[in-house]
Amino acid sequence: MQNRRLLALPLVVGAAALALTGCATSPASSDASGDGTVRVVASTNVYGSLVKTIGGDHVSVTSILDDPSQDPHSFESSAQTQLAVSKADLLIENGGGYDDFMTTLAKSADTKADTINVVKLSGLDEGGDAEFNEHVFYSYPTMVKLVADVADRLGSLDSADKGTFAANAKSLTTKLQDLESQTAAAKQSDQGEKVAYTEPVPGYLFDAMGLDNVTPEAFSEAIEEGDDVPPAALNDTLKLFSDRTVKLLAYNEQTSSPETEQVKKAADKAGIPVVGVTETLPKGEDYVSWQQANIDAVTAALAK
C-alpha cells in the first residue's frame, strides 16, 4: 500500500548530519563495527533474522525495527540508524510501500550498497486494481527466494565464506519448505473455512492454508491505513462474530484502535478464538520458530 501509515519517517536530519560529519569511521553499534564482517541493514528483524541465520558470525546485522512491543506503524529514525545505513554493504527492505523509510535513509546516506526489495523479489504484486498485501514475510515461497538471493549476495561480498553461506541457506530452505508442507497439509483438512483479521498481516498464511478471509475490505483497509472505519463496515465485521460466521480472528498485537478492540471483544464474547499475530519477531524467536508458532496457533484455533 503506497499510503500505508506504517513506518512514516520523521528523520532526525540535523542529528544524522552531525553524526555523519566527522564520524564516518566510528561504528554505529556493535552491529556495524568494521571488524571485517559483511554489514547488513534490514528494515525489520524478520529479515535480519534470516540474514543472521545464513551469515552467522560472518555478518553483522542491524535490524531497524526489532522491538516486539513497538507499534510498527510509528517509527522515528536516529543518527545511529542513519550511520548504520551509510556503512552497510547490503540493505534489505520489504517494499510495496511498507517501509519507505529505507529509501529515505539510503538517499540521505548516499549509500552505494545493493538493496533487496522483497516485494519485487516475490513476484506477488501483479498490479491492477486489486489491493496488494505487502506483508510478504508471511509468504514462505517468497522467503525461500529471499534466502537464495541473500546467500548469493553474501557470497559475492565475502567469497571466502561463500560455501558456508550456501550450506546455511540450504539448511534454512529445508526448514522453510517444511513450513510449506505443513500449510499444504492443513489445506487438505481446512480448505474453505471462514476466518477474519484486523489487518491482512497473515493473509499469505491464510491463503496457503486454504482459508477464506471474509473480513470486509473497508474495515481492514481503514485499520491498516489508520483511517476512520466506516460504520457499516464495522457493523458488518462485528456481525461475523455475533453470527458465528468465522472460525477465528487474527489480531495484530502491535497495533490497536477502538475499532479493533471492539472486534476483539465481539470475538471473545462469541467464544471465537483470537490468534495474535505480529509484524516483527517476538523476543527469543527466529523466523522459523515464529512462523511455526503461527501455524500451530491457527491450526489449534480451527480445531476448536
Side-chain angles (χ1 to χ4, degrees):
M1 292 191 178
Q2 298 306 314
N3 297 318
R4 194 174 193 274
R5 63 192 170 105
L6 177 67
L7 314 181
L9 180 66
L11 275 173
V12 187
V13 177
L18 286 173
L20 289 170
T21 303
C23 295
T25 59
S26 301
S29 69
S30 60
D31 285 337
S33 59
D35 59 1
T37 58
V38 178
R39 292 168 294 197
V40 182
V41 175
S43 62
T44 78
N45 64 0
V46 172
Y47 298 128
S49 169
L50 292 170
V51 173
K52 193 64 180 175
T53 301
I54 298 165
D57 293 338
H58 303 292
V59 298
S60 57
V61 181
T62 298
S63 296
I64 294 177
L65 290 177
D66 63 357
D67 184 353
S69 66
Q70 178 183 11
D71 178 353
H73 294 181
S74 176
F75 168 72
E76 290 189 9
S77 180
S78 67
Q80 187 179 49
T81 303
Q82 186 85 43
L83 186 58
V85 170
S86 74
K87 297 168 76 70
D89 301 304
L90 177 65
L91 302 174
I92 301 179
E93 63 183 15
N94 187 84
Y98 184 86
D99 47 8
D100 287 340
F101 68 88
M102 287 293 285
T103 301
T104 304
L105 284 167
K107 286 182 178 178
S108 181
D110 194 26
T111 178
K112 301 299 189 293
D114 284 344
T115 299
I116 298 176
N117 181 305
V118 186
V119 165
K120 289 182 180 177
L121 181 68
S122 74
L124 292 169
D125 187 1
E126 298 178 351
D129 296 330
E131 193 69 39
F132 177 67
N133 180 6
E134 71 274 20
H135 302 93
V136 293
F137 39 87
Y138 273 78
S139 164
Y140 306 144
T142 296
M143 296 303 98
V144 169
K145 289 181 180 180
L146 176 61
V147 166
D149 195 4
V150 168
D152 285 345
R153 291 180 190 249
L154 292 181
S156 296
L157 291 164
D158 176 9
S159 58
D161 296 304
K162 185 174 183 177
T164 298
F165 302 144
N168 290 344
K170 182 178 180 181
S171 176
L172 179 53
T173 296
T174 298
K175 294 177 182 178
L176 293 173
Q177 289 171 336
D178 178 61
L179 296 178
E180 289 186 78
S181 296
Q182 292 179 54
T183 56
K187 188 173 185 178
Q188 295 299 313
S189 58
D190 298 315
Q191 173 113 28
E193 293 284 10
K194 291 181 171 56
V195 295
Y197 49 50
T198 55
E199 296 183 60
V201 174
Y204 292 108
L205 174 59
F206 284 178
D207 290 345
M209 297 179 76
L211 305 177
D212 181 14
N213 168 55
V214 294
T215 311
E217 185 176 339
F219 175 85
S220 57
E221 183 175 340
I223 294 300
E224 191 175 28
E225 299 290 350
D227 297 332
D228 292 334
V229 177
L234 178 59
N235 289 335
D236 288 345
T237 303
L238 293 172
K239 193 175 180 183
L240 295 176
F241 306 100
S242 60
D243 290 353
R244 300 189 61 81
T245 301
V246 296
K247 295 278 287 187
L248 66 85
L249 168 69
Y251 182 87
N252 187 349
E253 294 182 332
Q254 289 176 275
T255 64
S256 65
S257 70
E259 293 89 352
T260 60
E261 287 299 310
Q262 194 173 347
V263 167
K264 185 179 179 183
K265 287 179 181 178
D268 288 335
K269 182 178 180 180
I272 292 171
V274 177
V275 176
V277 294
T278 61
E279 299 182 55
T280 56
L281 297 185
K283 275 190 176 178
E285 301 284 354
D286 61 20
Y287 180 85
V288 173
S289 65
W290 172 52
Q291 287 299 319
Q292 183 65 65
N294 286 329
I295 292 173
D296 292 344
V298 172
T299 301
L302 292 170
K304 291 183 179 179

